[in-house]
Amino acid sequence: QKVLQEVQQFFSIVPPELAASTLERGIYLSGGGAQLDGLQEYLQEGLKTEIILLQEPQLASIKGLMRLQK
């Protein structure tokens, strides 16, 4: 519940057009916590938007850093 509350709080302070664009396109989950059972579905239901779980979310940060080196 805390994660959902924090995401909702974030959307309440960002410019409305950014929040609308993000909710329209969906939210990508990354990091090890993204793999928690039921988190994707819980956020999707609570935020009424698509929640996309990255492949190997625990490696997302390191993969991003590796792309910067190229």
Side-chain angles (χ1 to χ4, degrees):
Q1 287 179 340
K2 183 69 173 163
V3 173
L4 179 59
Q5 290 171 350
E6 292 297 325
V7 173
Q8 290 170 329
Q9 175 67 24
F10 170 78
F11 284 120
S12 74
I13 61 173
V14 298
E17 58 276 1
L18 176 60
S21 174
T22 302
L23 291 172
E24 184 178 300
R25 293 180 177 172
I27 298 172
Y28 290 84
L29 287 182
S30 65
Q35 298 178 63
L36 291 171
D37 283 340
L39 180 62
Q40 180 180 11
E41 295 81 7
Y42 180 76
L43 292 175
Q44 195 159 280
E45 184 177 314
L47 296 170
K48 307 294 187 233
T49 192
E50 184 177 12
I51 304 294
I52 302 108
L53 180 61
L54 297 177
Q55 289 183 359
E56 299 181 310
Q58 73 279 13
L59 301 177
S61 295
I62 193 69
K63 286 181 176 183
L65 289 172
M66 288 171 58
R67 283 186 168 186
L68 289 175
Q69 289 184 337
K70 292 182 181 182

